[in-house]
Amino acid sequence: VRTVKVADRSGMVNLTVWNETGKVLQQGDIIRMTKGYTSMFKNCLTIYTTKYGDFVKVGDFCMIFSEAPNMSEPNPELAAKFEKDEAERKAEIQNRKGGGDRSNRGSNSGNGGGNNNG
């Protein structure tokens, strides 16, 4: 596991990478990442890649970037909001798994919309 700083014009954030990807990323690499997500780790915003995520090197040392704001600076307020949002998201998933209201499923009444020409 390796954590590196990544940046663009809008600021900087931590990126945590595993396995081979963590070994091949070098300072100054410009990469395109797919299938990533953010999460909080020790009160710091961090980007991760999913199991099926990918990194493609598209260049090096030729992009304007900013080290400020550092979005991965410890931020207890953001961490608290993230925890609250995460708990709400998990509760919503549990509600969906619980079945919800299924009483109306498949209940149609009437004559099926047939033509009534007397």
Side-chain angles (χ1 to χ4, degrees):
V1 176
R2 181 174 167 206
T3 300
V4 297
K5 301 283 187 192
V6 293
D8 64 12
R9 292 178 190 207
S10 65
M12 181 172 60
V13 68
N14 289 341
L15 168 67
T16 298
V17 291
W18 292 270
N19 302 328
E20 204 57 39
T21 303
K23 296 175 186 173
V24 298
L25 283 178
Q26 298 296 315
Q27 184 174 353
D29 285 351
I30 299 173
I31 59 170
R32 176 172 290 127
M33 182 177 131
T34 60
K35 296 185 177 30
Y37 65 97
T38 59
S39 188
M40 297 294 287
F41 178 70
K42 295 184 178 180
N43 290 341
C44 299
L45 183 65
T46 303
I47 299 174
Y48 300 91
T49 184
T50 64
K51 180 178 178 180
Y52 302 104
D54 193 21
F55 290 89
V56 176
K57 183 176 176 179
V58 295
D60 47 47
F61 287 112
C62 62
M63 184 175 172
I64 296 172
F65 67 92
S66 175
E67 293 182 1
N70 181 349
M71 301 303 293
S72 292
E73 284 291 318
N75 186 333
E77 293 85 20
L78 181 61
K81 181 178 179 345
F82 178 84
E83 291 299 323
K84 179 182 175 226
D85 292 349
E86 188 69 8
E88 289 172 359
R89 185 185 68 79
K90 287 180 180 177
E92 178 66 28
I93 290 170
Q94 282 299 91
N95 287 340
R96 287 187 201 149
K97 286 182 179 178
D101 182 15
R102 296 182 180 195
S103 61
N104 290 331
R105 192 187 283 189
S107 64
N108 288 328
S109 61
N111 63 7
N115 192 356
N116 190 8
N117 290 334

